[in-house]
């Protein structure tokens, strides 16, 4: 898969922001990935996807089509219901969907700490926000928090250089 650092061409900021909001509501699949911020796909697959699989993709959380930021993971929610509870790996299409859904949450972002990917699961006592799934990161030194933060920082630096 050669999807590293795809450039954003002709992205309209208002349309992109609305697209991100609709995606956040869990209503649609990313329709036009070319309008999403660039990010490193390999870094996402190696560092963020494992966090999603371990902490987020449970069917009672984000591992459901009914949930905002629906996420695919092995042994969890899958595109093909026949693959439900199937062992790793998830398909390329599933991984790309997780990647694009995550990139949609980067639209308009300038500070990684403002990302909902980090703020929602962070303990409110450590600066986090309300999260129906409860606290996933006790503080911003959690290794999984840092993995997501590094991916977001990389994506923001990539966007600045393009």
């Amino acid at each position: 898969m050669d999807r590293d650092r795809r450039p954003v061409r002709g992205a309209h900021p208002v349309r992109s922001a609305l697209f991100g909001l609709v995606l956040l509501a869990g209503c649609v699949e990313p329709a036009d990935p070319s309008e999403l911020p660039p990010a490193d796909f390999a870094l996402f697959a190696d560092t963020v996807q494992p966090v999603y699989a371990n902490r987020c993709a449970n069917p009672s959380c984000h591992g459901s089509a009914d949930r905002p930021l629906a996420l695919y993971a092995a042994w969890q929610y899958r595109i093909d219901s026949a693959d439900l509870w199937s062992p790793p790996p998830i398909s390329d299409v599933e991984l790309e969907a997780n990647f694009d859904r995550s990139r949609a949450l980067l639209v308009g972002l300038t500070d990684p700490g403002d990302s909902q990917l980090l703020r929602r699961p962070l303990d409110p006592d450590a600066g986090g926000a309300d999260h129906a799934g409860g606290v996933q990161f006790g503080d911003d030194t959690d290794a999984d928090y840092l993995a997501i933060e590094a991916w977001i920082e990389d994506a923001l630096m990539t966007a600045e250089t393009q």
Side-chain angles (χ1 to χ4, degrees):
M1 291 179 283
D2 187 40
R3 301 225 4 206
D4 292 0
R5 302 179 190 268
R6 295 184 314 181
V8 176
R9 288 185 174 53
H12 186 276
V14 173
R15 186 173 63 214
S16 295
L18 289 173
F19 175 73
L21 289 174
V22 170
L23 182 67
L24 255 178
C27 298
V28 296
E29 292 291 315
D32 189 356
S34 69
E35 291 198 11
L36 297 176
D40 188 320
F41 181 75
L43 183 61
F44 173 86
D46 291 342
T47 63
V48 177
Q49 179 61 34
V51 175
Y52 284 171
N54 291 329
R55 292 193 179 202
C56 310
N58 180 299
S60 67
C61 296
H62 293 283
S64 168
D66 300 333
R67 301 303 303 245
L69 187 63
L71 297 170
Y72 300 109
W75 304 108
Q76 307 285 347
Y77 176 53
R78 305 299 292 270
I79 287 176
D80 184 343
S81 61
D83 292 335
L84 188 63
W85 308 114
S86 294
I90 63 173
S91 72
D92 291 347
V93 171
E94 291 168 324
L95 185 57
E96 289 172 11
N98 287 354
F99 177 67
D100 289 342
R101 290 171 179 155
S102 299
R103 289 191 305 142
L105 295 174
L106 305 182
V107 171
L109 189 66
T110 58
D111 179 355
D114 291 337
S115 169
Q116 294 301 307
L117 294 171
L118 294 173
R119 289 197 68 228
R120 289 271 188 182
L122 181 63
D123 188 330
D125 291 338
D130 185 40
H131 182 237
V135 171
Q136 296 299 311
F137 307 128
D139 59 42
D140 61 5
T141 64
D142 182 289
D144 288 344
Y145 178 99
L146 294 171
I148 295 171
E149 182 181 50
W151 175 73
I152 294 170
E153 286 174 348
D154 183 76
L156 295 180
M157 287 190 325
T158 299
E160 285 179 8
T161 62
Q162 293 191 354

